[in-house]
Amino acid sequence: QVQLVESGGGLVQAGGSLRLSCAAPGRTFSDNDMGWFRQAPGKERGFVAAVSWSGGTADYADSVKGRFAISRDNAKNTVYLQMNSLKPEDTAVYYCAAARRRYGFTWYAPRTSGEYGYWGQGTQVTVSS
């Protein structure tokens, strides 16, 4: 069963931009916090960004803060990751995920993979130097 479907990955030069999309066929995630994770070869899957259920609050890893922007359109049941000023270090498979429950982003945002119960298959992002 496909839970989430990522798209928009590809090859881009350093300094370029890319926008990833995540759709949820068959069900709605409008009541779930959503997140993006990434995994490079030989590395652990790491947190990239998260957005609250309403889209009003976001949280970012330090490595992407100021360069990436997460957003969502609940009417379309879709979440996005706008990636600007891309670096070769951003090269990874990017995964979209839905959190197991809604968290209070005022004090806490989910940053660990265990807090997410629904995942996509991933989309490859490669940034050339």
Side-chain angles (χ1 to χ4, degrees), residues 17-121:
S17 298
L18 212 58
R19 189 178 80 157
L20 307 183
S21 298
C22 173
R27 65 171 291 169
T28 179
F29 288 96
S30 60
D31 291 333
N32 298 67
D33 302 327
M34 301 293 292
W36 286 95
F37 291 76
R38 65 186 181 185
Q39 187 169 22
K43 302 292 181 64
E44 296 289 324
R45 183 182 297 181
F47 171 77
V48 176
V51 62
S52 64
W53 72 273
S54 67
T57 309
D59 183 53
Y60 299 94
D62 289 343
S63 59
V64 306
K65 197 169 187 177
R67 299 188 298 120
F68 290 11
I70 187 171
S71 62
R72 66 190 301 166
D73 186 339
N74 284 344
K76 296 181 178 179
N77 202 28
T78 303
V79 63
Y80 306 94
L81 183 68
Q82 178 66 47
M83 305 185 295
N84 300 320
S85 302
L86 283 162
K87 305 174 180 179
E89 306 90 86
D90 296 318
T91 296
V93 176
Y94 283 71
Y95 297 90
C96 177
R100 299 180 185 275
R101 66 177 182 87
R102 289 163 61 174
Y103 296 84
F105 272 56
T106 301
W107 300 104
Y108 179 81
R111 288 183 161 220
T112 64
S113 60
E115 294 171 306
Y116 293 80
Y118 308 90
W119 294 85
Q121 80 288 344

